[in-house]
Every structure is written in C-alpha cells, then in structure tokens.
Amino acid sequence: MEKPAASSEPQGPRPVLGRESVQVPDDQDFRSFRSECEAEVGWNLTYSKAGVSVWVQAVEMDRTLHKIKCRMECLDVPAETLYDVLHDIEYRKKWDSNVIETFDIARLTVNADVGYYSWRCPKPLKNRDVITLRSWLPMGTDYIIMNYSVKHPKYPPRKDLVRAVSIQTGYLIQSTGPKSCVITYLAQVDPKGSLPKWVVNKSSQFLAPKAMKKMYKACVKYPEWKQKHQPHFKPWLHPEQSPLPSLALSELSVQHADSLENIDESTVAESREERAGGAGGEGSDDDTSLT
C-alpha cells in the first residue's frame, strides 16, 4: 500500500485533511492515531479518579470542534475481550444506553466497513447520528479501532436527527498483562451546532467517565453473554464470516462538515431531569440487560 510522505503537521484521517476521495486508512494513519492517543502536550486534564482520566483540547481553528481523550485501566479485562466488545454490534445494543440505532451497512476490505450510529444527547439537545468508515488493526497484543465520517447515497441526513461529523474517533487498546489492559478513547467531533458550555463541561466531568465505566462493566459480563449468543461468530477476527455486502470505495464520498446544516443550541439550558442525574443520554447503571 502506498505510504504518504511524512509530515510535521498534526495528523488525523487523511480524507479530512484535504483528500477529496474516501480511502481506507493505512499503516501510517494507524501510527499517527496511536501517537495522538499517547501524546500529552496540548491536552488539559479535567478528570482523574478511580483509574479513569479525561483530557480536553480546544481546537483553535474552530471553537465548535471538540477534542476529548479518555483513558481507563482495566485490571481484570484482557485486551482481546475489550476489542471484541467494541466490535460486537449486537452486544452494544445491550450495554450502550446512549444508542438509538446502530447497524453495519457494508464491508470495504477485510478490516474496514461502513456503519450507522445514532445516539441520545443530554436533554433538551437534539439527538445526533453519523455514517462512518471504520477500520481496525491488531498490533501484536494491542489493537486500534478508528473511524471518520463519510457520505453514503442511501443514508442521507434525517429530519429528526442532527448529522454530526466524526473527524477522528477511535480506541487504542494496550495489553498490560494476560488479564489486564488500558483503553484510550480519542474523539474529535463536529456536533454541527454551537453547544452550550454546560454540555462541554458535563461531557468531560460526568458523561465520558460514566461511559467508560459502563463499558468496563460490559466487558466483565461479555464472555458469559457471548457463550449464549453465537460464540464463534466474530467477523472482525474472521472476515470470511461477514454477512455484509461488499461496497466499492467509489460509492462513498467525504463528509465535509461545512456541507451540513449548523444549529445553534448555545443558549439551551440544562433540563431539570439532567441536573438530577436522570435519563437523557446518560443511561442507567442497571446491568440486567447484559444477561
């Protein structure tokens, strides 16, 4: 695969940085993503408690862009289990209480596909959705899963949701032992709207840490759940198992943020229900759905 020339500029997925055609990330893209996950310069620590840390970064070019990085130590979850949990779309519907709808659309290569994901935002904000090209790469005992937004002709923006743009989102899973790992979640997203300050603060101080902890609980319960639900079906490890139709890259196009409608939610006040720590994007701690 052709290797792009090295650059001293910060690197995200290349289609967003000027490429006009959709491309499956190559080895340099994965290395660049890993480097940013591990970087410390320019990130402000906003939360650190019980093995979970959260950093934020202001994107000076455009204050509506939000970069967040979360890291969690998983002392009794093997890296390969966490990797399976992030891939298993049927299991995600069980543990991800933010999800409205999620499904795979088509496969592009043995380690890349296109999918849809919609999620609940804190009330009273409008809910969001994305169409993303997702790619993954095992690297010894470590793993990377990352995505960026694309346009698919059969899935245009919906009137009841705001189409957000994933500029660079993904996970770095690093094994720290036979039954332990560290996961880093990195996201640069354009939510397509001016969000109120309370949303940004709540995301880093409450929503992100809670989401990481919920993921951890899901990982602990996954082996038992998977034994009851097609235990040998793991197309992310065995591409020949994939039931998805193939799709040519030429059918997709780059989703430019400036081609989507912006909405101004900067003056929206937090709902009483949200302040009380209720529903509306945060989810319940009830784990009965994982059995």
Side-chain angles (χ1 to χ4, degrees):
M1 188 177 291
E2 180 185 356
K3 303 289 184 182
S7 169
S8 59
E9 295 296 318
Q11 295 189 25
R14 285 174 287 121
V16 177
L17 297 185
R19 294 290 182 104
E20 291 303 319
S21 61
V22 174
Q23 296 188 21
V24 174
D26 64 14
D27 289 349
Q28 179 167 320
D29 292 308
F30 282 105
R31 287 196 299 269
S32 296
F33 180 81
R34 181 174 189 141
S35 294
E36 184 153 13
C37 284
E38 296 175 338
E40 298 180 1
V41 177
W43 289 92
N44 299 316
L45 182 67
T46 61
Y47 180 97
S48 183
K49 185 178 180 181
V52 177
S53 300
V54 181
W55 296 262
V56 296
Q57 186 179 97
V59 181
E60 296 298 336
M61 297 177 296
D62 188 340
R63 302 296 294 186
T64 66
L65 297 183
H66 302 280
K67 284 183 93 169
I68 188 168
K69 180 162 60 176
C70 311
R71 185 170 295 143
M72 176 173 63
E73 300 172 13
C74 302
L75 298 180
D76 50 1
V77 174
E80 56 267 27
T81 298
L82 186 39
Y83 183 63
D84 287 348
V85 166
L86 292 174
H87 270 291
D88 198 321
I89 195 167
E90 293 305 316
Y91 190 57
R92 178 172 284 274
K93 296 172 185 177
K94 295 287 186 180
W95 68 266
D96 185 353
S97 55
N98 291 332
V99 68
I100 298 173
E101 185 179 16
T102 183
F103 53 86
D104 298 326
I105 298 171
R107 60 187 173 93
L108 301 168
T109 67
V110 293
N111 69 322
D113 62 18
V114 180
Y116 174 85
Y117 181 81
S118 58
W119 70 95
R120 298 179 182 88
C121 290
K123 293 179 181 178
L125 300 183
K126 292 184 177 180
N127 295 329
R128 262 70 174 174
D129 71 351
V130 287
I131 301 286
T132 60
L133 186 158
R134 183 183 62 155
S135 54
W136 53 92
L137 184 69
M139 300 175 295
T141 57
D142 299 343
Y143 306 87
I144 286 178
I145 305 172
M146 61 185 188
N147 72 58
Y148 67 89
S149 281
V150 294
K151 286 194 287 188
H152 190 293
K154 293 184 179 179
Y155 299 92
R158 292 166 45 171
K159 292 183 179 180
D160 59 327
L161 297 166
V162 177
R163 179 62 50 90
V165 177
S166 168
I167 297 170
Q168 181 183 51
T169 303
Y171 301 90
L172 168 64
I173 306 166
Q174 297 171 291
S175 177
T176 55
K179 294 185 178 181
S180 62
C181 64
V182 172
I183 180 170
T184 303
Y185 168 73
L186 174 67
Q188 181 174 347
V189 175
D190 186 338
K192 294 314 298 176
S194 301
L195 298 178
K197 191 173 182 179
W198 67 263
V199 171
V200 179
N201 291 340
K202 189 165 189 172
S203 293
S204 61
Q205 296 289 335
F206 182 79
L207 299 181
K210 184 167 185 176
M212 296 295 275
K213 292 170 186 174
K214 195 167 188 68
M215 181 192 302
Y216 170 77
K217 290 180 180 180
C219 289
V220 172
K221 292 177 177 288
Y222 181 70
E224 181 181 356
W225 180 90
K226 188 61 176 172
Q227 281 300 314
K228 302 173 185 176
H229 301 83
Q230 296 183 287
H232 302 296
F233 181 71
K234 295 183 178 182
W236 52 93
L237 298 178
H238 311 291
E240 69 278 3
Q241 295 179 346
S242 176
L244 296 175
S246 295
L247 183 71
L249 282 174
S250 58
E251 294 292 311
L252 303 171
S253 55
V254 177
Q255 178 65 79
H256 294 291
D258 56 11
S259 70
L260 293 168
E261 179 185 2
N262 263 312
I263 62 169
D264 186 359
E265 296 178 300
S266 58
T267 60
V268 172
E270 185 175 15
S271 72
R272 184 177 304 174
E273 186 180 10
E274 283 292 325
R275 287 196 299 271
E282 295 168 28
S284 166
D285 282 325
D286 180 14
D287 294 323
T288 56
S289 63
L290 301 183
T291 57

